[in-house]
Amino acid sequence: MPIESIENSSITIRPNKKLIEVICNVKKTTNMTPNIAALKKSTKEKQKDILLELKDLKWLNNYLRKYRPEIKSIYLHQLIEKDDIILPTPKLTPRNPELEARTQKLKAQQDAIRYRAMTKNVDNTIMKLPEDTISYQMKQINKQLIAVAQFVFSVLAGFAFGFIGVELIVGNLDFGFRLLLGIICALIIALAEIYFLAIKLNEDVYDPISTPAPKKLHQE
């Protein structure tokens, strides 16, 4: 799935019971962080939903260092030893259903081609794949040549309309203006035809391929 950028890159920590107990017993100071103050004032049920950030742990570490003579046996690394660290995660965007269906279809076709290529030497009924025959290759070449010929004739027809057809409708026009009209009409038709030509050639490359059902080699 496509991954978006991370909106909030801060690392949060879910405090355990021991850390909550120490924070509730700290002395109230003026520079206390909002999360520490909220954790100190909240009830036991709401304390589980409050997350601490790195700045809160930094403040708590400075507090423990300042009052080290009073609380000798309490260290920050011991308090956060069993905490759950929540790392920032990017938001996943669901893929387009049409694109996913198209991808699965192409994957199934490629798997069918590989399966038939591996089993053609085992099953005598498919010793030769349709793609290996000359007739199949000629049909594909004819399809592509017809598509290219249609593209060329459409562009020429557009140029003829701009160069000759407009003059027949409006009247006598300057040769340079007629040439410009013909080129503009040909370019517009060429852009549209290139799109449909690409779709047509792509469909020819990925024609649905049916995998023949395996035949029984013996009768039951």
Side-chain angles (χ1 to χ4, degrees), residues 199-219:
I199 295 178
K200 177 64 178 175
L201 296 179
N202 186 59
E203 290 178 353
D204 292 341
V205 172
Y206 296 104
D207 281 334
I209 299 173
S210 59
T211 305
K215 296 183 178 181
K216 295 182 179 180
L217 301 178
H218 63 280
Q219 295 181 352

Side-chain angles (χ1 to χ4, degrees), residues 77-121:
H77 70 277
Q78 296 176 346
L79 297 176
I80 63 174
E81 198 171 25
K82 297 181 180 180
D83 286 342
D84 295 332
I85 299 176
I86 303 174
L87 300 176
T89 56
K91 185 179 179 181
L92 299 178
T93 304
R95 297 185 65 177
N96 190 339
E98 296 181 0
L99 175 62
E100 185 67 21
R102 177 66 173 170
T103 303
Q104 295 298 330
K105 180 181 178 181
L106 296 180
K107 183 179 179 181
Q109 292 176 1
Q110 293 300 319
D111 292 340
I113 293 174
R114 286 194 290 267
Y115 173 79
R116 295 176 63 181
M118 288 188 298
T119 58
K120 70 176 182 178
N121 293 330

Side-chain angles (χ1 to χ4, degrees), residues 57-192:
L57 297 180
K58 185 177 181 181
W59 179 90
L60 182 60
N61 186 43
N62 294 332
Y63 177 87
L64 294 176
R65 287 182 178 178
K66 182 178 180 181
Y67 294 96
R68 182 66 64 200
E70 301 177 12
I71 43 178
K72 296 181 180 180
S73 59
I74 300 177
Y75 295 92
L76 182 62
H77 70 277
Q78 296 176 346
L79 297 176
I80 63 174
E81 198 171 25
K82 297 181 180 180
D83 286 342
D84 295 332
I85 299 176
I86 303 174
L87 300 176
T89 56
K91 185 179 179 181
L92 299 178
T93 304
R95 297 185 65 177
N96 190 339
E98 296 181 0
L99 175 62
E100 185 67 21
R102 177 66 173 170
T103 303
Q104 295 298 330
K105 180 181 178 181
L106 296 180
K107 183 179 179 181
Q109 292 176 1
Q110 293 300 319
D111 292 340
I113 293 174
R114 286 194 290 267
Y115 173 79
R116 295 176 63 181
M118 288 188 298
T119 58
K120 70 176 182 178
N121 293 330
V122 179
D123 193 349
N124 293 329
T125 59
I126 53 173
M127 284 294 292
K128 289 186 177 180
L129 297 176
E131 295 84 358
D132 297 337
T133 59
I134 298 177
S135 60
Y136 179 85
Q137 300 295 334
M138 292 300 296
K139 288 180 181 179
Q140 294 298 319
I141 293 174
N142 290 336
K143 286 183 180 180
Q144 295 178 3
L145 289 177
I146 291 173
V148 173
Q150 290 177 349
F151 170 78
V152 173
F153 287 135
S154 299
V155 174
L156 292 177
F159 178 80
F161 172 78
F163 186 73
I164 301 175
V166 176
E167 185 182 25
L168 295 177
I169 297 173
V170 178
N172 293 330
L173 297 173
D174 184 64
F175 177 80
F177 184 70
R178 289 165 52 200
L179 183 62
L180 181 61
L181 284 178
I183 294 174
I184 293 174
C185 293
L187 286 176
I188 295 174
I189 294 176
L191 292 175

Side-chain angles (χ1 to χ4, degrees), residues 1-33:
M1 291 185 178
I3 299 177
E4 297 183 359
S5 59
I6 300 176
E7 296 180 357
N8 186 9
S9 59
S10 60
I11 299 175
T12 56
I13 296 175
R14 192 181 304 277
N16 54 38
K17 293 181 180 180
K18 187 176 181 181
L19 180 57
I20 294 175
E21 183 180 353
V22 172
I23 292 176
C24 291
N25 294 328
V26 298
K27 297 178 182 179
K28 188 175 181 181
T29 58
T30 56
N31 62 344
M32 183 179 292
T33 60

